[in-house]
Amino acid sequence: MNQNDFTNNPYILLTPGPLTTTDTVKLAMMKDWCTWDDDYNNIVQGIRKSLVKLATKSEDQYSTVLMQGSGTFSVESVIGTVVPRSGKLLVIANGVYGSRIVKIAKTLGINTTVIDSSEVEAIDLNRLAVQLENDTEITHVAIVHCETTTGMLNPIEKVSEIVKRYNRVFIVDAMSSFGGVELDIADLNIDYIISSANKCIEGVPGFGFAIVKKDEFEKCKDNARSVSLDLYDQWKTMEEQNGKWRFTSPTHVVRAFAQALKELEEEGGIKERASRYKNNQKVLSEGMKKLQFKPILPDELQSPIITSFYYPDSENFDFKVFYQKLKEKGFVIYPGKVSALDTFRIGNIGDVHQKDIEALLQAIEQSIYWLDTVSEK
């Protein structure tokens, strides 16, 4: 077996993560590491510092905690650790992932209230203000930044202004946006922001992370409703034992993530990566419209992360057939998740560039089999 056998993929992943990674990120996993060794723990500490630096200029106010598992594990660790038993959580939900936060909170026995919003319309900020004004029991507010159900980018800067006007703790699930959208969490008064290794940093699946406001997080000792997902205890262990994880860490994934952070810096940081993603999305959207595919969101609500499209208006269209035709041409796209609409999704993140999007559009044009079916009748 040579190197290419390990790193070459038969297709490009056009999803919100896991995503297409560079060969060098994949190759970083080809070495074994000891979780007790300083060489490894120093890598962990470097990752923690780098993530805070990416998140804000006010580095002294924040710290990073890494947590084993998928991104949802990290979301659950935050919700289950930072909301006290006497607290109440308000979730703004306009898609599957906001609804998942609600499910997590209710399963953990947290007093939870929800602002249900349309999956395809801007959230009603006035409803948020009214709810916080009228319900003084609410202590924490959570929202998904990029709701990949649709690709909508929620206005966290406006939400934060309202949340902080009423002096509540602000939690942002930035799973699919952190590292791909420019922001400063201190400027936005975000207390907790959550993401994962296999999103815009362009690592591989295996752990997530939360960047926490230290003054707020210090209040959370003994809040946790889980041993393995006790984010505070994980943080204290990493702080006091030079980056050590409490339980077995995903060593190979951590090393790949360190390489991915290095490559993000080499690309020019979040500013340049965000520019690449925005360009990918623009080229994709314009090209799809020319091919008579309609995005479900207006441009002003659309994120650069992933785009949802309506099914073609044809009884002959079958997504599974379309998916397979594209896969045979080297591209994997995503099925839709919008509850009441027939849609599919195409991601723009990962090691994906304009030439890849242009090649995808050509493959899509060659895969519009349902028009051929119509002409044959």
Side-chain angles (χ1 to χ4, degrees):
M1 253 186 200
N2 60 37
Q3 175 182 320
N4 288 340
D5 293 324
F6 289 109
T7 59
N8 277 357
N9 284 338
Y11 45 72
I12 293 174
L13 291 173
L14 295 163
T15 74
L19 36 69
T20 294
T21 58
T22 63
D23 288 352
T24 39
V25 164
K26 288 188 274 284
L27 285 169
M29 293 185 285
M30 301 304 293
K31 180 178 178 181
D32 299 322
W33 296 85
C34 173
T35 57
W36 287 85
D37 192 84
D38 281 343
D39 288 345
Y40 173 71
N41 288 328
N42 288 338
I43 291 173
V44 174
Q45 293 293 70
I47 287 172
R48 296 178 66 213
K49 291 176 183 176
S50 293
L51 287 171
V52 172
K53 188 174 182 180
L54 287 174
T56 180
K57 299 182 294 295
S58 303
E59 297 173 49
D60 58 324
Q61 296 181 30
Y62 290 87
S63 183
T64 303
V65 200
L66 311 182
M67 179 59 71
Q68 297 96 323
S70 71
T72 299
F73 284 53
S74 290
V75 173
E76 185 160 342
S77 73
V78 170
I79 299 301
T81 301
V82 309
V83 183
R85 282 163 177 77
S86 60
K88 183 175 183 178
L89 176 67
L90 169 63
V91 182
I92 304 166
N94 60 343
V96 168
Y97 299 98
S99 296
R100 185 178 294 176
I101 295 176
V102 176
K103 183 177 181 180
I104 287 169
K106 289 184 175 180
T107 301
L108 293 174
I110 294 171
N111 188 5
T112 306
T113 188
V114 187
I115 294 179
D116 281 313
S117 297
S118 166
E119 293 169 315
V120 294
E121 296 176 0
I123 61 175
D124 185 345
L125 296 170
N126 187 58
R127 284 181 64 194
L128 172 62
V130 169
Q131 191 130 0
L132 293 178
E133 176 77 34
N134 294 335
D135 191 344
T136 57
E137 291 186 352
I138 294 169
T139 55
H140 294 65
V141 178
I143 190 172
V144 175
H145 186 202
C146 177
E147 181 51 84
T148 53
T149 302
T150 56
M152 185 181 294
L153 196 66
N154 283 318
I156 56 172
E157 65 287 345
K158 295 178 182 177
V159 172
S160 177
E161 191 278 321
I162 297 169
V163 171
K164 291 305 174 180
R165 185 194 311 164
Y166 292 97
N167 197 31
R168 299 329 203 266
V169 177
F170 191 30
I171 302 167
V172 176
D173 174 345
M175 197 60 56
S176 62
S177 60
F178 184 81
V181 175
E182 291 184 272
L183 53 80
D184 186 303
I185 60 174
D187 290 349
L188 292 173
N189 286 307
I190 295 171
D191 297 291
Y192 302 96
I193 195 165
I194 313 159
S195 190
S196 180
N198 57 290
K199 303 292 185 178
C200 294
I201 306 295
E202 300 185 6
V204 300
F207 74 90
F209 55 87
I211 302 171
V212 303
K213 196 168 192 176
K214 289 186 283 188
D215 288 350
E216 185 60 41
F217 198 41
E218 283 285 12
K219 304 172 186 176
C220 298
K221 184 179 180 182
D222 300 325
N223 280 356
R225 296 156 175 86
S226 164
V227 173
S228 58
L229 296 180
D230 185 340
L231 193 71
Y232 183 88
D233 194 40
Q234 182 98 324
W235 177 59
K236 276 298 184 183
T237 302
M238 287 184 171
E239 287 285 284
E240 295 170 359
Q241 299 187 42
N242 188 39
K244 185 181 178 302
W245 305 54
R246 293 173 303 154
F247 312 122
T248 302
S249 66
T251 52
H252 299 74
V253 174
V254 169
R255 183 61 190 86
F257 191 73
Q259 177 64 27
L261 282 169
K262 178 182 177 184
E263 293 178 16
L264 172 60
E265 183 178 5
E266 290 170 350
E267 185 173 352
I270 293 176
K271 181 178 181 180
E272 291 303 317
R273 182 154 294 178
S275 178
R276 170 161 64 87
Y277 290 168
K278 285 178 184 177
N279 183 64
N280 284 349
Q281 198 282 325
K282 181 182 178 183
V283 172
L284 172 69
S285 185
E286 290 177 353
M288 290 293 280
K289 288 174 184 176
K290 289 178 182 177
L291 295 173
Q292 306 304 309
F293 289 93
K294 183 182 177 183
I296 71 169
L297 294 178
D299 291 344
E300 62 269 20
L301 299 179
Q302 177 64 56
S303 76
I305 306 302
I306 190 167
T307 310
S308 290
F309 297 94
Y310 289 106
Y311 280 4
D313 186 16
S314 170
E315 62 182 18
N316 299 306
F317 177 80
D318 183 321
F319 176 75
K320 291 182 179 179
V321 174
F322 183 52
Y323 173 93
Q324 191 59 40
K325 285 182 174 293
L326 290 179
K327 185 177 179 181
E328 290 168 0
K329 293 178 174 64
F331 301 94
V332 166
I333 62 173
Y334 240 39
K337 275 208 172 187
V338 181
S339 54
L341 300 172
D342 289 327
T343 64
F344 64 89
R345 297 175 291 166
I346 300 178
N348 308 295
I349 63 176
D351 184 33
V352 176
H353 303 263
Q354 181 171 332
K355 62 179 176 58
D356 301 309
I357 300 297
E358 290 170 346
L360 167 70
L361 290 167
Q362 186 176 23
I364 289 173
E365 186 174 16
Q366 295 167 356
S367 302
I368 302 178
Y369 70 91
W370 54 93
L371 294 184
D372 294 335
T373 304
V374 171
S375 64
E376 290 171 2
K377 288 186 176 180

